[in-house]
Amino acid sequence: MNGSDERRVAARIRREPPQFRRVAVEGIERVSPRLVRVTLGGAELEGLTVAQPAASVRLLLPSPGANELVMPAWNGNEFLLPDGTRPAIRTFTPRRVDPEALELDVEIVLHGGGVAAGWAEAAEVGAPAAVSGPGRGYSIERDTPAFLLAGDETAIPAISQLLETLPAEATVQVYVEVVEASARIALPGHPQAAVEWCQLAPAAEPGDAFTAAVRTAEVPPDTRVWAAGEAAAVQRLRRHFFEERGLPRSWASIRGYWKRGRAGDAGDD
């Protein structure tokens, strides 16, 4: 094997994610008609800590049509089931972690057709799953005078955590896109936060409503930005902030949570 071959092999080998921890559903709560909070628990959650807000965990679900959870193996690039197929793995914000009760909450958007959405609607107490993580969260600069938070419904759990964590003296602009008015929920209070709910027009592309609101927002100097949602929409936001507004890249965390037309990650579809 020559040097170029070795480099190609090394490029295909990725660091193995944290191992999956088996859990079971302990509770299900409808936060809104479009959002379900699933409480997961189990002894294997011992030692799981999430130090930063807006972090992530991978949620392993039974394959569609199956009740039994089959654990996948890491092949150096991805997780695969024993038969060589890909498991149902989605990524969510760990909305609440209770290390004493050994519980973890995830909130799943019910938008129809997705593996995770279908599982959340049908799941019963005792249903098996597994979690892996956490992935990186958001590092807050405590002396920052202003923050701007934006996203679609999949970003609501992370935005909620940030509102609970951001400095009380900082001003916070929040823009949340919803498909319908019933998806609005009571967000955690913050003394300096102003929340704008942006309803998506029926024929609009995902992300059009909250990105349009952000583009016209007055952004004070030294503002830090956190945004997440559909991949193409947040890419437009990156161009807006970095190219049009000249925001330093280190001042923004802008993440694609899901991609329209493709199953996977936080948005599921």
Side-chain angles (χ1 to χ4, degrees):
M1 182 181 293
N2 60 37
S4 61
D5 290 336
E6 291 175 350
R7 286 192 294 271
R8 283 195 294 270
V9 171
R12 291 196 298 268
I13 297 175
R14 301 162 55 196
R15 183 176 63 181
E16 183 173 358
Q19 67 179 16
F20 278 101
R21 303 164 182 258
R22 290 182 180 270
V23 293
V25 174
E26 294 189 348
I28 302 169
E29 177 187 356
R30 280 288 182 111
V31 180
S32 79
R34 286 180 54 85
L35 192 66
V36 168
R37 179 179 298 138
V38 180
T39 298
L40 303 167
E44 292 188 14
L45 287 179
E46 184 172 1
L48 177 67
T49 58
V50 180
Q52 295 177 317
S56 64
V57 292
R58 287 182 173 91
L59 178 64
L60 171 68
L61 303 173
S63 298
N67 295 320
E68 181 183 357
L69 184 72
V70 179
M71 301 301 286
W74 182 254
N75 71 351
N77 183 57
E78 62 181 342
F79 283 107
L80 293 177
L81 295 172
D83 63 2
T85 61
R86 291 179 176 177
I89 298 176
R90 301 295 183 261
T91 305
F92 295 97
T93 299
R95 181 64 184 90
R96 178 187 67 96
V97 179
D98 187 331
E100 295 185 358
L102 299 179
E103 291 180 345
L104 178 151
D105 289 349
V106 295
E107 294 177 348
I108 301 174
V109 177
L110 304 180
H111 50 78
V115 171
W119 176 82
E121 287 193 285
E124 299 178 348
V125 171
V131 296
S132 168
R136 66 183 177 88
Y138 183 61
S139 179
I140 298 172
E141 298 179 50
R142 308 302 301 184
D143 58 350
T144 297
F147 293 86
L148 186 150
L149 313 178
D152 59 23
E153 292 174 49
T154 65
I156 288 176
I159 288 174
S160 297
Q161 285 186 334
L162 290 168
L163 287 171
E164 294 169 341
T165 313
L166 293 177
E169 63 275 12
T171 59
V172 186
Q173 298 179 69
V174 183
Y175 301 92
V176 185
E177 177 178 293
V178 292
V179 173
E180 56 189 48
S182 65
R184 300 183 184 188
I185 65 171
L187 297 176
H190 184 285
Q192 304 294 330
V195 178
E196 179 176 334
W197 293 94
C198 312
Q199 189 157 338
L200 192 66
E205 298 288 330
D208 280 357
F210 85 85
T211 57
V214 170
R215 290 180 66 89
T216 60
E218 291 188 13
V219 181
D222 298 325
T223 295
R224 302 303 191 265
V225 172
W226 184 95
E230 198 278 328
V234 297
Q235 182 60 32
R236 295 195 297 272
L237 269 192
R238 289 190 185 98
R239 290 195 296 268
H240 171 69
F241 279 112
F242 301 148
E243 299 174 13
E244 298 174 23
R245 291 191 187 253
L247 188 79
R249 291 180 180 269
S250 61
W251 288 12
S253 176
I254 302 177
R255 304 180 184 180
Y257 269 8
W258 61 285
K259 187 171 184 178
R260 187 182 186 188
R262 187 179 72 184
D265 293 340
D268 196 29
D269 273 342

